[in-house]
Amino acid sequence: GIEYDGILTDDAQLIPADRRRKLFASMRTSKDNWRPRGYLTFNPGGVGHAQLKTEFVIPWQRKRETGTRFFFSLPG
């Protein structure tokens, strides 16, 4: 099957959670000394908003991130 060493998804809130999971299931590598990485950017709203908030924002707010990291950003 197909493999991706890294995946960057811009505006992830526009992609349903099941489609994002399928894409990230292909994130693996056969390279030595490399850890596959996935990055998402997202804004409030959209079909994936609730799932992204549950997976990234809430653990960040509660200081309980384990397998993810959320970086809050403001304009300007």
Side-chain angles (χ1 to χ4, degrees), residues 34-55:
W34 182 262
R35 182 176 50 108
R37 293 167 177 89
Y39 300 94
L40 303 170
T41 67
F42 55 91
N43 294 301
V47 296
H49 172 83
Q51 193 274 332
L52 290 165
K53 182 176 179 180
T54 299
E55 187 174 349

Side-chain angles (χ1 to χ4, degrees), residues 2 9 11 14 17 27 29 40-41 51-52 54 57 63 65:
I2 196 163
T9 305
D11 285 334
L14 302 176
M27 192 172 58
T29 187
L40 303 170
T41 67
Q51 193 274 332
L52 290 165
T54 299
V57 179
K63 298 183 182 353
E65 291 175 292

